[in-house]
């Protein structure tokens, strides 16, 4: 089992930055690919970024490529999402997730994630 707790959300002006953190409990974190997803009001949950278990592969949604960076620290059981040049359309609840299988690659498919955090709100004002 993996339990996930996000933090770092808040209100920021357009062009600003935030860093989200996702702290994981359990002994299997370091063997699982992780992902960040987001959900705006009235919208479906969308893929943002993913990272494989040892951190040498990352993949991003086109909408955030070049602005967001996903990283992880397996010694701290934590995955991060650095968000720069934020836009009002980035406003959403952001969720981190751990893949259902161990040693798998990163994935943009939410159905391949079994463990989810409670989410953290990010609001970008214009």
């Amino acid at each position: 089992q993996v339990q996930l707790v996000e933090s770092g959300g808040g209100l920021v002006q357009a062009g600003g930055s935030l860093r989200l953190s996702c702290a994981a409990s359990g002994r299997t974190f370091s063997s699982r690919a992780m992902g960040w997803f987001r959900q705006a009001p009235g919208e479906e949950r969308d893929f943002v970024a993913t990272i494989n278990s040892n951190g040498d592969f990352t993949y991003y949604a086109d909408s955030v490529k070049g602005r967001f960076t996903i990283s992880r620290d397996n010694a701290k059981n934590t995955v991060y999402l650095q968000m720069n040049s934020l836009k009002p359309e980035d406003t959403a609840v952001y969720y981190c997730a751990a893949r259902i299988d161990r040693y798998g690659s990163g994935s943009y498919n939410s159905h391949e994630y079994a463990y989810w955090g409670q989410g953290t709100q990010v609001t970008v004002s214009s």
Side-chain angles (χ1 to χ4, degrees):
Q1 292 286 340
V2 179
Q3 293 182 319
L4 304 171
V5 179
E6 301 98 335
S7 62
L11 173 64
V12 63
Q13 289 187 332
S17 298
L18 283 174
R19 187 174 84 154
L20 306 183
S21 299
C22 173
S25 64
R27 290 179 286 182
T28 64
F29 171 81
S30 62
S31 63
R32 296 184 189 273
M34 299 293 294
W36 284 96
F37 294 78
R38 66 186 182 186
Q39 187 168 20
E43 303 287 335
E44 294 186 351
R45 189 171 297 187
D46 291 330
F47 166 75
V48 175
T50 186
I51 188 167
N52 67 345
S53 58
N54 62 15
D56 63 359
F57 172 81
T58 58
Y59 181 72
Y60 299 90
D62 287 344
S63 58
V64 307
K65 199 173 296 181
R67 300 188 297 122
F68 291 11
T69 302
I70 188 172
S71 62
R72 66 189 298 160
D73 185 337
N74 285 343
K76 296 182 178 180
N77 272 21
T78 302
V79 63
Y80 304 97
L81 186 68
Q82 177 67 44
M83 305 186 296
N84 298 328
S85 302
L86 283 160
K87 305 174 181 180
E89 51 264 44
D90 295 318
T91 295
V93 177
Y94 283 71
Y95 299 90
C96 70
R99 272 203 66 163
I100 190 169
D101 56 332
R102 298 175 63 185
Y103 307 111
S105 60
S107 172
Y108 59 83
N109 186 348
S110 64
H111 297 293
E112 295 182 358
Y113 292 83
Y115 308 100
W116 294 82
Q118 83 290 348
T120 186
Q121 177 70 46
V122 171
T123 303
V124 185
S125 63
S126 57

